[in-house]
Amino acid sequence: MPQIVLLVTSPRLPAGLLTADAWDLVRRHPVLASEESAQAAALRAAGADVTVVAPDPAPVLAAAQEHGTVVWLAGPTGDQDMARALGLRLAREPALAELELRYGSWDPPGARLLDAVSVIDRLASPGGDPWKRQQTHATLAQYLLEETYEAYDAIEAGDLDTLREELGDVLLQVVLHARLAEELPEDQRWNVDDVAGTLVEKMIRRNPHVFADTQVSDVDEIIENWERIKRAEKARGSSMDGIALAQPALALAAKILQRAERAGVAVPLPQDLDLGSELLRRVAAARAAGQDAEAGLRRAALAHADAVREAEKDQT
């Protein structure tokens, strides 16, 4: 019986990057497609017989009758309408041909990140979104903070669906910053691949217990190795260098105390009676008790906000 093979490939992989089975298939049998594409060109360059025809079951069935087996090379979107039309026709007349679906390549994990990069590139390029094209790293800074806080809110609320969406908004900021950096002067320019490459190199370097032969006994030793490697990389003059000064004050205080402790520097806490000194002492006490002062104040503030809402209801 004649056979029609629907060959689906990933549009996110380089054209021509197919399984050995798919290459054997397209080299042995005629290939039909609804339009010219990079994939069709790659197959032709490798010796395959590729013909562009109308996306209709008739020419495909005719080719199958003539050659015994024919391959339909699906386009980037999978040609679902064509597949449905063929399926319905063969459901009515099953003796015409057999229909088989094969995957010549699959999306690798993280493939949709390529889509995100492509979409942001379109938005930030000429003819795209005027607002995004007007932005700079400085004008976007507030949105990076806002989106991060919204993701934090979702974590605190235990709302995983919202967290997924908010992390997408954080990713938008990362990809957009990288796209804008492509417009910098040549000696300052970088792109999203540079961002990802730097991250990969850092993770491999700072996790020698995974990517090298370093032996560790527990998580504490992993953290010690991380900090040691980080110190060697940064070559900072002080343990206070590199602390994000824009973070909320309680979190900033906790980070300063943590850095001092790891550096083995014991500086007495201020004993003044002003509010700032008192708060710093309380942050230190919270750390000693294994508590997060920032998170604690946040929970208390939100609980107070709920109490205010209830009081407002009583007043109406």
Side-chain angles (χ1 to χ4, degrees):
M1 178 181 291
Q3 183 181 40
I4 300 170
V5 180
L6 298 178
L7 183 62
V8 178
T9 62
S10 170
R12 301 175 184 89
L13 295 179
L17 187 59
L18 305 177
T19 64
D21 178 64
W23 272 116
D24 289 342
L25 184 69
V26 299
R27 284 181 174 132
R28 288 199 304 264
H29 306 291
V31 179
L32 304 180
S34 65
E35 60 183 4
E36 294 291 351
S37 65
Q39 195 71 272
L43 299 192
R44 282 200 194 93
D49 177 15
V50 182
T51 303
V52 175
V53 299
D56 182 87
V60 182
L61 288 168
Q65 294 288 334
E66 179 182 355
H67 300 285
T69 297
V70 66
V71 179
W72 178 264
L73 179 63
T77 61
D79 288 1
Q80 294 183 7
D81 290 343
M82 178 61 178
R84 187 178 300 107
L86 272 172
L88 291 174
R89 177 69 184 277
L90 294 177
R92 294 193 301 268
E93 302 178 74
L96 289 177
E98 292 180 341
L99 184 62
E100 179 184 351
L101 173 65
R102 292 197 200 179
Y103 287 92
S105 59
W106 298 265
D107 283 346
R112 296 308 300 271
L113 293 174
L114 298 176
D115 292 345
V117 171
S118 177
V119 167
I120 299 305
D121 178 64
R122 176 72 180 85
L123 290 169
S125 295
D129 177 21
W131 184 88
K132 289 181 177 58
R133 287 183 51 76
Q134 290 175 359
Q135 301 311 303
T136 66
H137 297 303
T139 62
L140 287 173
Q142 62 173 321
Y143 302 110
L144 179 58
L145 282 177
E146 288 174 6
E147 302 298 357
T148 303
Y149 282 134
E150 289 178 8
Y152 186 97
D153 283 344
I155 293 172
E156 286 291 291
D159 188 340
L160 297 183
D161 287 338
T162 299
L163 176 60
R164 180 183 64 240
E165 179 182 354
E166 298 301 342
L167 287 177
D169 291 339
V170 173
L171 178 61
L172 161 62
Q173 295 301 312
V174 173
V175 177
L176 183 53
H177 274 283
R179 176 61 183 82
L180 295 178
E182 294 182 32
E183 307 293 335
L184 295 173
E186 186 172 355
D187 60 339
Q188 302 174 33
R189 191 175 304 160
W190 44 270
N191 60 29
V192 71
D193 287 322
D194 296 318
V195 174
T198 300
L199 171 63
V200 169
E201 292 169 1
K202 181 188 294 184
M203 290 301 99
I204 292 174
R205 193 168 58 245
R206 293 190 185 177
N207 291 277
H209 59 289
V210 176
F211 299 103
D213 56 1
T214 299
Q215 300 297 315
V216 294
S217 57
D218 53 30
V219 173
D220 288 340
E221 193 170 348
I222 292 174
I223 294 174
E224 289 175 6
N225 283 340
W226 177 284
E227 292 299 329
R228 175 181 52 77
I229 296 169
K230 184 176 179 179
R231 286 194 300 271
E233 291 173 356
K234 300 297 183 180
R236 290 169 173 157
S238 168
S239 59
M240 298 295 101
D241 292 346
I243 294 177
L245 303 181
Q247 62 186 300
L250 289 183
L252 174 62
K255 176 61 69 174
I256 289 172
L257 292 169
Q258 178 196 62
R259 286 283 191 90
E261 180 181 312
R262 286 183 175 175
V265 179
V267 176
L269 294 171
Q271 298 303 310
D272 300 325
L273 300 180
D274 63 281
L275 179 59
S277 297
E278 173 62 20
L279 287 174
L280 182 57
R281 291 193 294 271
R282 287 187 175 272
V283 172
R287 288 196 71 254
Q291 299 174 347
D292 184 336
E294 179 74 25
L297 178 59
R298 180 184 179 82
R299 287 191 295 270
L302 292 176
H304 187 67
D306 289 339
V308 171
R309 291 190 182 94
E310 290 300 320
E312 288 172 336
K313 291 178 183 178
D314 295 338
Q315 294 175 355
T316 57

